[in-house]
Amino acid sequence: MRISVFKVALALGLSLVAGPNFLGAEGHAQTVDDAIKGSWTRSAPDWQARLVQDETQKVCSQYRNAPPKQVADAIIARERATIQYPPDGKLMGDWKKGARLAQSGYGGRFTDYPPRQENGGNCYACHQLDKKELSFGTLGPSLQEYGKNRRYAEAEIKAVYDRIYNPQAEIPCGNMPRMGANKFLTIEQIKDLVAYVMSPESPVNN
Amino acid sequence: MRPLLCTIAVAIVFALASPAVLRAQDDATERELEKYRQMLKGDPWSNPGLLDVDRGEGLWKERRGPKNVSLEQCDLGKGPGKVEGAFAELPRYFKDADRVMDVEARLVWCIEKLQGFDRAAIIKRPYSKANQAGTELEALATFVAHKSNGLKFAPRLEHTKERKALALGETLFFRRQGPMDFSCSTCHADSGKRIRLQSLPFLGKPEEARKVIGEWPAYRVSQGTVMTFQHRIADCYWQMRLPLIDYGSDVTVALTMFLVNQAKGGEITAPQIKR
C-alpha cells in the first residue's frame, strides 16, 4: 500500500515536470490549437491559414527536427515529389539576378503587402557567399566557392536546384525554408540563384 | 552620455550604408554598446529608458479614465499596489481573470477593470514607432519591470494553469509554421549563430537565456524608443511571415513563461540598452 501510494505520487510528480505530457499528448495538442486560434483573432482567413501546419511541419515540430528514420524517410519521399523543373530542363539562369535575390530579404511579411518588389531569397541572412560581402549569417554553412569546389559538375547543379526548391527532400526537418515547394520563389528565380552559386563567372566562385 | 549615444548611432548608420566595412563597424557598435552598458552601471541615470520609467510611474499614479482612478490598486500578483518585485514573478496566474498573464496583459486588465478604459482602444496601438515617445503601455511596462531591477527571475509554477502555460510555451518554441517553415528554434537553438551580423542568443540554453531575457523592456538605440517583450515576440512572428499576433495573447504569454523559466535565476536589468 505504502509503495503504491509512493508510486502514484512519483508518477504524478514525474508527469508534472515532464512538460507537455502531463495533459496527455492529445489534450496538449488541443491546448496548442486553441491557443493559436485565440491569439491571432484579428487577421484575415488567408493569413490565419499560415498558422496551420502541413504534415512535414507537424512532424518536424513534434520531433524537434530530429525525426526517427521511418518518419525521416516519409518526409524525403513526400518532399521529393514536390520538386518541379523548368520545361526546357535548363537549371541555370542569370547569376547577376541571382546576386540581387541572394541579398534581398523582402517578401511575405505583413508589411510587404501589397508587394512593392519580388520576393528575395535572403541567402545572406544565413550563408556566406561572395567573399566581398562581409554581412553574412552563420545559421547555414558557408557557400563560398561552392561551384568551384565541385568543379561545376552537372549533377551538382541539379543538387543545388533541388536544395533551393525543397531542401527537405535531402535533409528532413532541416532549418532551410522550402523556397520552391512553398511558392516563395518562382522556378525562374531559383534558376538565377543556382547560377549565382554554380556559375564559373559568379563572384561566389571568384 | 550624449556623445557616446551619437557614436553608437553613427556606427549603426554607417553599418547600414557600407557593406564593405560592415563587419568591423558592427564589432565597433557592439563595443560601444558594451562600453555604454558598463557606464550605466556607474551612472544609472544616464539611461534614456529611464524617461519611460518616470513617465510610467506618473501614469501609474495619475487618476485617469472613465472611473477617474489611478492604477495604485492594481494587483500585479503581490497584492494591490505592490509593484516592487512583482515583475520577477511574472507571468503568473490571476484568479480574477482566471488566466496566466505577463506584465503587459496584466496592465491592460487593470487599465480596463480599474480605470474603465475600453480594452480595444487600449491595445489598438501598443507599440511605438522609431523615434516616437514610448506608448503608455510601454512606459507602464518599463516602470513595473524596473521596479524588479537587481532581482532574479523567480517564476512560480504552483497553479495548474501556470504549468500549462510553460508546457504550451515550450511546444510553441519548437512549432514550425508559415511559408518559411520557421519556428523560434530555427534561430535560437544553437550557440554563436548570427543572422547577417546580428548575434542570436541560444534560448534553449539557460546560461544564454539568463543573459538576455532580463534586459527587456529595453531601450533600442537604433529605434530611439523602448521595446517591450510582447513587441519583441510579435516582431519575431512578423519575421516568420506570420500575421500580427494579438497583444497579451495566450501564445505570447506562454512563450514568455517558457523563456522566463529558461532564464530562471537570471538578473533583471530592465530597461537595458540594446542595438
Side-chain angles (χ1 to χ4, degrees), chain B residues 14 16 21 30 51 55 87 92 115 117 139 141 178 221 235:
Chain B
F14 215 87
L16 291 173
V21 289
E30 238 348 282
L51 291 172
R55 216 158 54 84
F87 182 75
R92 70 190 287 161
Q115 297 184 314
F117 282 107
V221 180
D235 250 24

Side-chain angles (χ1 to χ4, degrees), chain B residues 24-83:
Chain B
Q25 283 297 333
D26 196 72
D27 291 346
T29 307
E30 238 348 282
R31 274 202 304 278
E32 291 297 325
L33 274 173
E34 194 43 47
K35 223 157 76 182
Y36 194 22
R37 289 186 195 115
Q38 289 305 319
M39 204 182 71
L40 288 180
K41 285 186 181 164
D43 179 16
W45 292 106
S46 59
N47 182 344
L50 290 186
L51 291 172
D52 289 283
V53 171
D54 270 359
R55 216 158 54 84
E57 185 167 14
L59 286 164
W60 181 262
K61 291 176 176 166
E62 190 186 333
R63 290 161 169 262
R64 292 174 356 117
K67 296 186 183 170
N68 195 35
V69 292
S70 76
L71 289 169
E72 286 163 302
Q73 287 306 301
C74 176
D75 184 355
L76 296 168
K78 295 178 80 73
K82 184 145 172 41
V83 187

Side-chain angles (χ1 to χ4, degrees), chain B residues 62-260:
Chain B
E62 190 186 333
R63 290 161 169 262
R64 292 174 356 117
K67 296 186 183 170
N68 195 35
V69 292
S70 76
L71 289 169
E72 286 163 302
Q73 287 306 301
C74 176
D75 184 355
L76 296 168
K78 295 178 80 73
K82 184 145 172 41
V83 187
E84 276 80 8
F87 182 75
E89 293 177 12
L90 288 169
R92 70 190 287 161
Y93 174 76
F94 289 90
K95 200 167 178 222
D96 52 8
D98 190 29
R99 67 175 285 228
V100 177
M101 293 168 149
D102 70 338
V103 60
E104 292 169 80
R106 189 59 185 171
L107 282 166
V108 170
W109 170 271
C110 285
I111 294 169
E112 184 191 3
K113 303 292 174 190
L114 295 183
Q115 297 184 314
F117 282 107
D118 172 41
R119 188 186 148 79
I122 306 166
I123 60 172
K124 198 171 175 202
R125 280 197 189 79
Y127 315 128
S128 55
K129 294 210 166 73
N131 301 313
Q132 284 178 350
T135 63
E136 290 178 353
L137 278 170
E138 284 170 341
L140 282 164
T142 309
F143 159 66
V144 173
H146 184 65
K147 285 281 182 186
S148 287
N149 227 333
L151 298 178
K152 292 179 164 62
F153 280 119
R156 306 148 40 82
L157 288 169
E158 290 163 21
H159 197 276
T160 313
K161 291 203 173 179
E162 290 168 341
R163 292 193 293 267
K164 266 174 91 167
L166 173 63
L168 173 62
E170 182 171 351
T171 299
L172 289 167
F173 188 81
F174 292 97
R175 189 181 195 270
R176 299 182 69 167
Q177 64 253 300
M180 294 292 221
D181 298 323
F182 288 153
S183 66
C184 305
S185 69
T186 305
C187 293
H188 296 289
D190 204 353
S191 284
K193 298 291 183 187
R194 308 190 313 243
I195 290 181
R196 290 276 183 162
L197 294 174
Q198 178 64 56
S199 299
L200 300 160
F202 177 11
L203 297 174
K205 190 178 176 188
E207 293 88 323
E208 291 194 35
R210 278 198 285 268
K211 272 188 211 153
V212 295
I213 301 299
E215 297 181 332
W216 302 89
Y219 181 86
R220 297 191 67 199
V221 180
S222 62
Q223 303 294 303
T225 186
V226 286
M227 186 184 206
T228 64
F229 208 59
Q230 284 282 328
H231 193 179
R232 178 60 271 175
I233 292 175
D235 250 24
C236 283
Y237 275 125
W238 167 75
Q239 281 289 18
M240 287 155 75
R241 274 71 179 173
L242 298 178
L244 178 62
I245 193 162
D246 296 354
Y247 189 75
S249 70
D250 284 346
V251 165
T252 40
V253 169
L255 277 170
T256 304
M257 183 64 121
F258 172 63
L259 293 171
V260 161

